[in-house]
Amino acid sequence: VQANKLRPVPWNRVVVDDRFWAPKIKTNREVSIPLQLEQIRKTGRLDNLRRAGGKLEGRFEGIRFNDSDVYKWLDAAAYSLGTHPDPELEAQVNAVIEVVAAAQQESGYIHSYFTLERPDARFACLAINHELYCAGHLFEAAVTHYEATGSRALLDVALKFADHVWGLFGPGKRDGYPGHEEIELALVKLHRVTGRDRYLTMAQRFIDLRGSRPSPFEAEFAAESAWKNVFDAKRIFYKGDQYDGSYAQDHLPVREQSEVVGHAVRAMYLFSAMADLAAATGDQGLIAALDRLWTNLTTKRMYVTGGIGPSRHNEGFTSDFDLPNQEAYAETCAAIGLVFWAHRMALLHRNATYADVMELALYNGVLSGVSLDGEKYFYVNPLQTDGTHHRQEWFYCACCPPNIARLLASLGGYVCAESDDGLWVNLYVAGTCQARLGGTEVTLRQTTDYPWSGEVGIVVEPQTPLEFELRLRVPRWCRAADVSINDGSVPLEAVDGYIGVRREWRAGDRVRLLLGMGPEHVVAHPDVIPDVGRAAVRRGPIVYCLEQADHDGPVSRIILPAEEPLEEVREPDLLGGVITLGGTGYRLFEEGWDGHLYRADRQPAEQIPLKFIPYYAWDNREPGDMAVWIPVCLAQGGLVR
Amino acid sequence: VQANKLRPVPWNRVVVDDRFWAPKIKTNREVSIPLQLEQIRKTGRLDNLRRAGGKLEGRFEGIRFNDSDVYKWLDAAAYSLGTHPDPELEAQVNAVIEVVAAAQQESGYIHSYFTLERPDARFACLAINHELYCAGHLFEAAVTHYEATGSRALLDVALKFADHVWGLFGPGKRDGYPGHEEIELALVKLHRVTGRDRYLTMAQRFIDLRGSRPSPFEAEFAAESAWKNVFDAKRIFYKGDQYDGSYAQDHLPVREQSEVVGHAVRAMYLFSAMADLAAATGDQGLIAALDRLWTNLTTKRMYVTGGIGPSRHNEGFTSDFDLPNQEAYAETCAAIGLVFWAHRMALLHRNATYADVMELALYNGVLSGVSLDGEKYFYVNPLQTDGTHHRQEWFYCACCPPNIARLLASLGGYVCAESDDGLWVNLYVAGTCQARLGGTEVTLRQTTDYPWSGEVGIVVEPQTPLEFELRLRVPRWCRAADVSINDGSVPLEAVDGYIGVRREWRAGDRVRLLLGMGPEHVVAHPDVIPDVGRAAVRRGPIVYCLEQADHDGPVSRIILPAEEPLEEVREPDLLGGVITLGGTGYRLFEEGWDGHLYRADRQPAEQIPLKFIPYYAWDNREPGDMAVWIPVCLAQGGLVR
């Protein structure tokens, strides 16, 4: 076990008070969370639990795993209560917890579908039935609710269920594990708040068993062949007649895995739990596997937005460099899962590379998942559209809305990390972090207009003067950084992506960080076939796109000059306040094409002004098309800038 | 009914004797047709019919519609016997015909799956069970065999089955029609050789009923819900809970259809039959629908190769301008179906536009379907690959191999068309066509190295001097044509894409046609998103591609200079003899990318020699990747050439 471990400064000891995130968190609290509860009610998700608790007549409605949306909503609401107490929301949370508690069976089991419809088949088909997945989300919500309010109302329900799981699946019991990972990382959280080893042991057992041969899923599918959806579900676990399992990361024992495969959300939740376990146990086999998987994901299978999982077919991964733009699946939940995993990797390895990816996903592939007004969501996040893809208020399978709500509500937890003698700043977010280094309280106050500006002011306020190392992340996109302390410049020694300053810090010490930030054209690895001859535009952590709303016609027809500079325009009244990037491009004429699909003629184009907006902010105005990767006029020398 | 109708000069009155097609037809005859019979035997397709005829014990093997492969093979073999008599092949054909005849039930019904496995369910679910589809292929083979050999052995079997169908589905009987069109065009062929009106009436009835509401398929699905594959099949006929039918062109009555939708092969077979019926009846409503459908297909939904049906999901059409390259489905059978339809449209409208598309599909999207050695096939014909897509010897669903075999064996039938006082040349293929104009035999001898050369010599030999109009197609790709007769130039009057010369023709009159032909860059309509900023290369009717075998590395990394000329290189020993196009391009370096997926740096490239080969000839050497649409260095003026 690693000594002097790195821990996040807990979400409830961080105040986010900036112009970028604070308004989004406010919208999340005031609009999204209430509307989501309304949707959860309207769609029978609460009624299912009421029926399972005998409080209502009738049959189960919707998808089998709909309980999880209730738990994720509770998780989001509890985070919000922890940073922004609200008696009305608290009453709603308590009412929902009562419903959940009443749905708990004598054994500890909770899952409204099986309780209502197939009590005989509880835990009969872990591969597809999501009972352990739902349990995991319940456990996470319970931990958050306990941390936020001090109440054990939900935690005791969760522990009773966790003990039931332990009784069925603990050491010496049934060798089963969930088809959809989630409970593993939740069990680690239960271990953290209770200190009880069995929860960590249970998580480890689920992780260690994954990839067994024969897979326990094979017997489950054989036994459950009469189930109506097993035929379809089975198909995705098999290659022809041969069990494969890669859909659920069950193709190999986890320590032998090297490529990210299968359902992307499942993969991210598994890898997050593996990182938790590695942090707890120092297991080098796990760490080596995580490192291989990380390299595969971030150097071969990730969109420039931090979106992951290109295929609709398996909601997940395909092959190296297969990153289609228009067909991109890039589920919002998968990008959220990447934030979870990247955060844990950053803590495990104390390396800013991981926080760079966390930031990338957070500001782009995650944030695109919710509209600026907090009322609509993307499940699928393509990088190019034909004008027909738009956010929706809710989904039949509604995993994404409450997932983004709980991430936004817990954002403070990703900003800083602490060890016994160090303080890491991973995100530049104005506000305060209340860290504990050894026994000393240290407050860190950030002032910044990040991500629009790379200028960050930090005031360090230890309770008493304290020597420790302050580590400031220098993002990989930054070409020039500068740090001064109390107006004196300090030598830059970036180690593992952090500039570290070790000194005795005194209350009121001021740090000033300047991260050079400007618009850049980005190109993709030449094996990403659809991006060859195209460029994307980025500024700092923000990936940009072109949207039809700014261009009086489809942006798919636009071609970008290679050498044209892009001009930053601060637009405080646009899209919640953004910096747009202006320039000049060419748009192919549609005129003259009537009756033609292909022509050998020259293709005329007109010069038009371009306006790039942040990718996360698209589809918040009149509907139209959008593109991240723009065909670029390559200079004859074959060089792109 | 149209007077003085245009008819194809029949396939068995045409001798193909050129350097392009004749060797391919020889390979088809000597390699493909024998190997296909071997596959048909090995995979139990003949045994199914033997079992249905009580000649063998055992159960049905394979896919329900496997009989159709036997019929399509018979069709191919019969065409071949008609142009190249071969006692060994004839004996094989006769043996197969005996098996088929023995499988015929007392009623006339033949379908080995239902005869063996579900005799109670014959014609119970026309939507998905392909009995009428198989019947259609049987009828087509029977007509060909009769025309090729004069034998009624298969024709009488077909007529007995057709009369059974008439008895069940004729006027006043059950209002049913096939889920997979095919029998309609086959019934028109039966009508042509027998003169019996009932077959035309039956075809018309199937065509007229399509699009009924409620669709008869709805009741079939409801009644057959216990069938194991109905769940999947049903899904593709429905949108949510609502019957849709567009998968099988059953969304609207055919005369109200305007967009090509659903399964592409089905659509092509339906439209071919509609054109046959329109030619027979002069039905203006059908013609108007066909014209709308044609315009939609050829101006919005067709690949530059003549491939059609971009989506794997429905093996068919999606939306306007949705033509992804790497994900292209473009089934070989669909391009073959387009040849069928385009041929009929050319005859119906006496307009060369349709023959242009027929030529395009034939030389590109169809011909790519078979390897040069005649041993392997593409089912799917993408326009860009990552190096993993290769031809196969056979398929579990093996519709494409015998379909391409019968098209090659019948190629002569597409070359010329005749009316009472005109002779149309639609394809430039060296050899002879024996036409009949009114009562006079007219032989047309073509000498040409088409498609590599645009120079065509034609000798006209009427039995006796005869005034008629000779019409020579001037392809749309041709920018300059010249015609001379007996060494005297004639004024060019292209009408509907044909240069027509009306005169009294005498034996030995010589026509010389020069079609200007050179390499050209082609661009796509700006709404074809994946092709924006890319160009394809074409020369005459041949569409080119880049293949890894010529480029020492993936061609997906290659960028094309816009203004670079392409040099024609005659390579008689390459790929069966082709003209390749050489030039200079840029290839993006892979070096320096290790550990990076995206970079803001300039993207270095090296100059390399390029060699474009005909698209149809790719994947005949060492495996690698391939691309038709190449990113192009656009000049700053936004112009592409």
Side-chain angles (χ1 to χ4, degrees), chain B residues 312-628:
Chain B
R312 180 176 301 271
H313 170 67
N314 62 350
E315 300 196 306
F317 299 105
T318 55
S319 54
D320 288 348
F321 303 113
D322 179 35
L323 296 162
N325 292 312
Q326 209 178 334
E327 301 81 7
Y329 198 68
E331 184 183 337
T332 300
C333 283
I336 292 170
L338 177 55
V339 169
F340 296 161
W341 184 30
H343 187 217
R344 286 161 168 85
M345 292 295 277
L347 301 179
L348 183 66
H349 282 310
R350 303 167 176 236
N351 188 313
T353 297
Y354 305 96
D356 288 347
V357 171
M358 177 176 86
E359 176 183 75
L360 176 74
L362 198 54
Y363 282 90
N364 303 285
V366 168
L367 200 49
S368 59
V370 59
S371 62
L372 295 176
D373 64 11
E375 295 183 1
K376 292 182 178 174
Y377 306 90
F378 278 139
Y379 193 113
V380 170
N381 294 272
L383 279 77
Q384 169 130 33
T385 75
D386 64 0
T388 58
H389 185 70
H390 305 294
R391 291 191 187 83
Q392 296 175 40
E393 289 180 6
W394 194 246
F395 304 93
Y396 184 65
C397 171
C399 48
C400 298
N403 221 359
I404 196 163
R406 70 189 183 122
L407 181 62
L408 286 171
S410 63
L411 188 86
Y414 298 90
V415 175
C416 289
E418 60 194 17
S419 71
D420 291 346
D421 68 344
L423 210 162
W424 277 254
V425 185
N426 280 323
L427 294 181
Y428 298 107
V429 174
T432 58
C433 288
Q434 192 70 31
R436 280 200 192 96
L437 275 58
T440 309
E441 296 271 335
V442 179
T443 304
L444 202 120
R445 295 184 198 281
Q446 289 192 53
T447 317
T448 181
D449 196 27
Y450 201 90
W452 309 122
S453 158
E455 192 175 344
V456 183
I458 297 175
V459 180
V460 184
E461 295 183 352
Q463 232 173 352
T464 57
L466 183 70
E467 183 179 329
F468 66 87
E469 186 164 359
L470 178 69
R471 295 201 181 200
L472 305 170
R473 182 173 65 93
V474 181
R476 191 165 167 177
W477 49 257
C478 175
R479 290 168 188 254
D482 185 70
V483 176
S484 59
I485 296 175
N486 298 333
D487 302 327
S489 199
V490 296
L492 296 179
E493 298 171 60
V495 176
D496 294 337
Y498 293 100
I499 295 175
V501 185
R502 174 171 286 279
R503 54 176 277 160
E504 190 189 75
W505 294 93
R506 296 168 169 272
D509 279 344
R510 311 173 73 84
V511 180
R512 187 177 184 76
L513 172 67
L514 279 171
L515 299 170
M517 188 187 278
E520 295 187 298
H521 291 97
V522 178
V523 292
H525 189 291
D527 284 343
V528 184
I529 294 176
D531 297 343
V532 173
R534 295 187 178 229
V537 170
R538 190 178 69 189
R539 181 180 177 278
I542 302 290
V543 175
Y544 281 74
C545 69
L546 295 175
E547 191 181 15
Q548 185 162 355
D550 298 304
H551 295 93
D552 192 27
V555 299
S556 58
R557 296 181 193 149
I558 289 174
I559 291 170
L560 196 62
E563 304 294 343
E564 189 87 5
L566 294 167
E567 186 196 3
E568 301 182 2
V569 185
R570 196 169 281 268
E571 303 205 42
D573 299 327
L574 183 70
L575 299 166
V578 295
I579 285 183
T580 62
L581 303 175
T584 301
Y586 301 100
R587 181 159 55 200
L588 302 176
F589 281 124
E590 196 186 19
E591 290 71 31
W593 276 97
D594 197 42
H596 298 267
L597 187 47
Y598 304 103
R599 290 200 296 183
D601 308 308
R602 281 169 173 270
Q603 193 175 18
E606 58 184 331
Q607 272 210 335
I608 59 163
L610 300 185
K611 181 191 276 199
F612 287 87
I613 63 159
Y615 172 74
Y616 74 77
W618 88 274
D619 197 36
N620 281 290
R621 294 173 295 171
E622 57 271 41
D625 78 336
M626 180 279 298
V628 170

Side-chain angles (χ1 to χ4, degrees), chain A residues 379-508:
Chain A
Y379 193 111
V380 171
N381 294 272
L383 278 76
Q384 171 130 32
T385 75
D386 64 0
T388 58
H389 185 72
H390 305 293
R391 291 189 187 84
Q392 297 173 42
E393 288 180 5
W394 195 247
F395 304 93
Y396 184 66
C397 171
C399 49
C400 298
N403 221 358
I404 197 164
R406 69 189 184 124
L407 181 62
L408 286 171
S410 63
L411 187 87
Y414 298 89
V415 175
C416 290
E418 60 194 18
S419 71
D420 290 348
D421 68 345
L423 210 161
W424 277 253
V425 185
N426 281 323
L427 293 181
Y428 297 108
V429 174
T432 59
C433 287
Q434 192 72 28
R436 282 201 192 95
L437 274 58
T440 310
E441 297 269 336
V442 178
T443 303
L444 200 119
R445 295 183 198 281
Q446 290 191 52
T447 316
T448 181
D449 195 26
Y450 201 89
W452 310 121
S453 159
E455 192 176 344
V456 183
I458 297 175
V459 179
V460 184
E461 295 182 353
Q463 230 172 356
T464 57
L466 182 69
E467 183 179 328
F468 65 89
E469 185 162 0
L470 178 67
R471 297 202 180 200
L472 305 170
R473 182 173 64 94
V474 181
R476 190 165 167 179
W477 50 256
C478 175
R479 289 166 188 256
D482 185 72
V483 176
S484 59
I485 295 175
N486 298 333
D487 303 324
S489 199
V490 296
L492 295 181
E493 299 172 59
V495 177
D496 294 336
Y498 293 100
I499 296 174
V501 185
R502 174 171 286 279
R503 53 178 278 160
E504 189 187 77
W505 294 93
R506 293 166 174 274

